[in-house]
């Protein structure tokens, strides 16, 4: 008789985006003439950079000729891309990594979710709250989250991030083994300074814990004191894995590519007492369960690091961040308090006093036909906030802010 992984039955239905879609559809049906502007979903809208498109075309042509055709590639990723990564994303920040510490993947979601494969199910996890749901759900699947009761998982340590603590999480008070940090943060758009991140690294080193650091929004950082990589912090190579993604950096949400850094220094003690290299273990896992990202996509990713690629990618990021600035200004003008939007394409908006996340979501939908994401959908500490994204078109962004001013002024 077949049994199933019962942990999957514990997963909560992802009510959030389904609920949003349903509310928007119902509104649209009752008001077919409404011009609805979506500032809710965390997906990019600008096309790929010309340098990326040219690289894709070239790679496709190579695949059509016997002499340049490529079959299975290295599970780790092609050397040309891993080299470009260490030389462009790390060396200029004074971080020395070997291409063997880079694992090219099909996006950061896969690896943030899969990394738990090589870690014991008895590890205690710690997350900031609100949070990108993948970290928790993948640990529910892995049997580390306990049971869901009263809006939280019994075995998960939550570090609340709200306006009261300037969105700076306190270190866990109970012992934890796996710490998920995402900075710049989705959903709050806030960051940790170098000094704050140092506290987490020294906590992890002291408690023999591992930090799983999601740097998906690193390319959006504009302020000098915000670390782009956890490896800017001394000692981090001995306690941290870092996830990168070209999705938000270069519009690869549909193309699929990213990478994970697993430093050779990073070891964990096995039950036998032996120190085990996570780099080797992850390599073993990938060689068995992953056969690499498409060659043409890795060529596309490499093109981001060419001089034209860098310039074009930056132009797109600047476009989104100008949207963010327009939104922050407009929201401030009508007296709403916002966070984020300076080093990340997300604006975290405090709802008016006494108004819940869903109530404010409904007001925005009904009064000005703008779709947001209720903060409480990202965790209990997100109640009383909504998330707006800067990934829309300039036109929609300006139109939405114009409507907001008319409504609230
Ligand atoms: C969008 C996003 C990612 C990227 O996921 P991909 O699978 O690379 O598209 C990773 N982490 C966070 C927090 C994100 O918001």
């Amino acid at each position: 008789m077949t049994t199933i992984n019962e942990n999957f039955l514990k997963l909560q239905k992802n009510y959030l985006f389904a609920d949003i879609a349903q509310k928007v559809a119902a509104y649209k049906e009752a008001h077919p003439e409404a011009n609805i502007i979506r500032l809710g979903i965390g997906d990019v809208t600008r096309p790929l950079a010309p340098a990326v498109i040219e690289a894709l075309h070239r790679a496709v042509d190579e695949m059509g000729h016997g002499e340049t055709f490529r079959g299975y590639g290295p599970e780790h990723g092609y050397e040309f891309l891993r080299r470009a990564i260490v030389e462009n994303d790390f060396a200029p920040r004074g971080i020395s990594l070997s291409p063997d510490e880079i694992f090219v993947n099909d996006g950061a979601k896969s690896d943030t979710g899969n990394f738990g494969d090589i870690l014991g199910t008895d590890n205690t996890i710690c997350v900031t709250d609100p949070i990108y749901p993948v970290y928790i759900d993948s640990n529910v699947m892995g049997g580390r989250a306990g049971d869901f009761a009263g809006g939280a998982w019994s075995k998960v340590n939550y570090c609340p991030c709200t306006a009261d603590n300037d969105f700076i999480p306190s270190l866990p008070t109970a012992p934890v083994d796996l710490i998920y940090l995402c900075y710049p943060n989705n959903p709050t758009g806030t960051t940790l300074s170098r000094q704050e991140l140092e506290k987490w690294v020294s906590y992890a080193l002291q408690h023999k814990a591992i930090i799983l650091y999601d740097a998906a929004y690193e390319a959006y950082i504009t302020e000098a004191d915000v670390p782009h990589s956890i490896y800017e912090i001394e000692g981090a190579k001995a306690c941290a894995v870092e996830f990168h993604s070209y999705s938000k950096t270069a519009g690869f949400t549909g193309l699929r590519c990213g990478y994970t850094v697993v430093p050779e220094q990073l070891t964990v003690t096995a039950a036998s007492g032996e120190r085990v290299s996570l780099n080797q273990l992850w390599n073993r896992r990938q060689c068995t369960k992953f056969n690499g990202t498409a060659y043409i996509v890795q060529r596309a990713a490499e093109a981001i690091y060419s001089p034209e690629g860098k310039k074009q990618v930056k132009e797109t990021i600047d476009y989104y961040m100008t949207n963010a600035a327009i939104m922050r200004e407009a929201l401030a003008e009508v007296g709403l308090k916002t966070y984020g939007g300076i080093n990340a394409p997300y604006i975290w908006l405090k709802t008016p006093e006494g108004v819940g996340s869903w109530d404010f979501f409904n007001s925005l939908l009904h009064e000005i036909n703008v779709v947001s994401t209720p903060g409480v959908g990202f965790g209990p500490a997100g109640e009383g906030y909504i998330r707006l994204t800067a990934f829309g078109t300039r036109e929609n962004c300006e139109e939405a802010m114009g409507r907001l001013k008319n409504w609230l002024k």
Side-chain angles (χ1 to χ4, degrees):
M1 190 186 76
T2 309
T3 63
I4 55 164
N5 178 346
E6 295 283 325
N7 292 317
F8 277 66
L9 301 183
K10 292 188 175 182
L11 289 165
Q12 303 300 294
K13 282 223 179 67
N14 191 354
Y15 293 117
L16 182 61
F17 288 99
D19 277 3
I20 293 172
Q22 199 194 344
K23 282 187 201 297
V24 174
Y27 184 83
K28 186 87 189 159
E29 187 159 325
H31 308 271
E33 75 299 339
N35 169 17
I36 294 175
I37 297 178
R38 290 164 206 274
L39 301 180
I41 298 233
D43 195 0
V44 296
T45 54
R46 307 290 294 164
L48 292 164
V52 168
I53 296 297
E54 284 159 27
L56 278 170
H57 280 299
R58 275 196 306 273
V60 167
D61 286 340
E62 284 180 53
M63 294 298 259
H65 293 98
E67 320 80 70
T68 46
F69 167 78
R70 313 256 185 152
Y72 287 127
E75 293 91 346
H76 237 78
Y78 282 97
E79 173 94 12
F80 64 77
L81 179 54
R82 290 185 291 120
R83 240 173 228 300
I85 289 168
V86 299
E87 282 165 14
N88 290 280
D89 285 348
F90 296 99
R93 304 191 193 289
I95 301 162
S96 139
L97 286 170
S98 130
D100 289 341
E101 295 172 297
I102 307 293
F103 294 83
V104 174
N105 60 32
D106 61 356
K109 187 192 250 189
S110 320
D111 278 9
T112 51
N114 288 332
F115 205 80
D117 266 21
I118 63 167
L119 300 167
T121 52
D122 50 353
N123 286 302
T124 308
I125 77 162
C126 167
V127 296
T128 58
D129 171 24
I131 190 203
Y132 181 57
V134 174
Y135 314 144
I136 292 199
D137 284 356
S138 58
N139 277 291
V140 174
M141 294 171 180
R144 292 187 199 90
D147 295 304
F148 192 72
W153 292 92
S154 58
K155 287 192 183 168
V156 174
N157 284 268
Y158 293 85
C159 300
C161 297
T162 63
D164 292 339
N165 61 6
D166 281 329
F167 300 92
I168 296 169
S170 303
L171 293 171
T173 45
V176 300
D177 309 303
L178 297 176
I179 299 163
Y180 287 86
L181 296 179
C182 171
Y183 287 100
N185 188 258
N186 176 13
T188 66
T190 59
T191 55
L192 286 189
S193 67
R194 196 160 273 114
Q195 205 187 359
E196 285 300 331
L197 193 53
E198 275 166 8
K199 290 185 193 164
W200 286 88
V201 169
S202 58
Y203 175 94
L205 290 171
Q206 196 184 336
H207 293 82
K208 298 190 164 51
I210 284 183
I211 298 174
L212 300 166
Y213 195 77
D214 188 342
Y217 296 94
E218 166 274 319
Y220 288 81
I221 293 171
T222 59
E223 291 180 319
D225 186 43
V226 179
H228 286 251
S229 163
I230 195 167
Y231 306 118
E232 289 177 37
I233 311 297
E234 205 180 321
K237 278 190 194 169
C239 68
V241 173
E242 185 165 279
F243 303 97
H244 285 251
S245 168
Y246 297 113
S247 285
K248 317 303 167 19
T249 305
F252 274 46
T253 51
L255 211 49
R256 311 305 306 145
C257 193
Y259 64 89
T260 297
V261 185
V262 190
E264 268 150 11
Q265 261 173 270
L266 185 58
T267 59
V268 168
T269 311
S272 64
E274 178 202 357
R275 291 300 284 182
V276 176
S277 154
L278 287 194
N279 178 291
Q280 283 171 26
L281 222 53
W282 183 243
N283 189 33
R284 188 70 182 81
R285 189 264 177 212
Q286 290 298 80
C287 289
T288 300
K289 290 196 178 181
F290 185 62
N291 244 341
T293 307
Y295 170 70
I296 59 173
V297 173
Q298 293 190 57
R299 282 295 185 197
E302 180 193 27
I304 294 166
Y305 297 109
S306 68
E308 320 78 69
K310 279 182 184 166
K311 188 167 153 282
Q312 293 161 2
V313 162
K314 183 168 182 309
E315 277 164 10
T316 300
I317 290 174
D318 289 347
Y319 176 94
Y320 293 135
M321 291 311 281
T322 303
N323 283 352
I326 290 168
M327 289 158 72
R328 282 195 298 115
E329 238 163 74
L331 292 159
E333 230 175 277
V334 297
L336 290 168
K337 182 82 188 133
T338 64
Y339 305 90
I342 294 171
N343 298 297
Y346 295 117
I347 289 175
W348 193 240
L349 170 68
K350 181 83 194 80
T351 58
E353 191 60 37
V355 181
S357 287
W358 277 109
D359 288 339
F360 200 62
F361 165 90
N362 282 325
S363 298
L364 287 176
L365 178 61
H366 292 208
E367 301 294 335
I368 61 170
N369 302 161
V370 167
V371 183
S372 60
T373 311
V376 69
F378 298 100
E383 181 53 276
Y385 298 87
I386 58 157
R387 188 190 74 175
L388 296 175
T389 86
F391 285 134
T393 62
R394 178 69 38 80
E395 191 189 5
N396 276 350
C397 181
E398 283 172 343
E399 166 70 20
M401 293 305 112
R403 291 183 196 172
L404 185 85
K405 285 185 198 170
N406 284 337
W407 174 44
L408 290 177
K409 257 192 171 160

